[in-house]
Amino acid sequence: MKKIILISLIAGIMGMIVACNNNNNTPIEVVDDTPITIDSIATNDIDTTIINNTEAEADKKDLDKPSYVTEIEIPLYKFKNEELHNQIKDIIDTSSIKNAHAISIEYFPQKKEWNISDSVTKFYNLRIETVGLEVENVIEKKCCMIGNKFCYINSNATIKRLFTKTGKTQKRKVYTGDYWMYFDYIFVEDWLLLYLDDNDSITYIY
């Protein structure tokens, strides 16, 4: 009799174990058929934080930015003497202004003095310099390309001595404020002084 009771007890325990296992393996019924992904469980708080950070960065960038950006077209000129262009390009490419985003060039009919020291004076008649953020009357400027570098032409005397018309224009994006027009690059002031003789030969002065 005891054996029958023991066998029945063991059988009952085994049945309970099998039933528990079957319950654990039963698939969970999902009402919505949409797959669950990492993106679908992003919280509103996280999304709001990302948006707020993006807006904060944009506001930070806009603190010093003028009112709007516009694109202008400036009359494009080219060097009369291609060899002179190449000489000037080579000087720029090995100089302190080689990384400037934009430059300007000006020829002086009357040569100017450059005092290297108390006892040494040299003369120059061509100045090439980096262009700053503030460019007054930029609409009235003319331009050229020296290699791939954008260059403003600063006077009619410079055009008469060095350049000829192409009949084309060069597009330039500028920031327009109330009083000034601003260019979208960092300005580091630097310049080159050169002497151009009557035979279009260039001498580096400074």
Side-chain angles (χ1 to χ4, degrees), residues 169-187:
T169 59
Q170 184 75 13
K171 291 184 178 180
R172 189 75 175 159
K173 285 185 178 180
V174 296
Y175 292 125
T176 354
D178 293 335
Y179 305 103
W180 299 94
M181 301 194 79
Y182 296 78
F183 290 80
D184 51 348
Y185 54 79
I186 297 172
F187 173 50

Side-chain angles (χ1 to χ4, degrees), residues 37-127:
T37 65
I38 295 297
D39 293 335
S40 67
I41 61 174
T43 66
N44 289 334
D45 290 340
I46 293 175
D47 291 340
T48 302
T49 302
I50 293 173
I51 292 171
N52 288 341
N53 286 343
T54 302
E55 290 175 349
E57 287 298 319
D59 290 342
K60 183 178 179 182
K61 291 179 181 177
D62 286 340
L63 286 178
D64 299 322
K65 187 179 287 187
S67 54
Y68 57 90
V69 178
T70 187
E71 188 173 68
I72 60 175
E73 294 188 10
I74 304 175
L76 180 66
Y77 287 69
K78 66 178 182 179
F79 280 84
K80 296 175 183 177
N81 186 333
E82 185 65 23
E83 180 57 33
L84 177 60
H85 163 271
N86 295 338
Q87 290 181 55
I88 293 176
K89 176 184 177 298
D90 289 344
I91 291 173
I92 291 173
D93 288 346
T94 57
S95 73
S96 58
I97 68 171
K98 63 182 179 181
N99 294 322
H101 292 269
I103 56 178
S104 68
I105 185 169
E106 184 169 5
Y107 171 77
F108 305 99
Q110 302 297 322
K111 59 186 179 183
K112 296 179 175 291
E113 292 185 355
W114 175 255
N115 296 320
I116 297 177
S117 66
D118 292 339
S119 58
V120 179
T121 298
K122 289 192 175 183
F123 296 94
Y124 70 93
N125 57 6
L126 195 63
R127 180 184 173 98

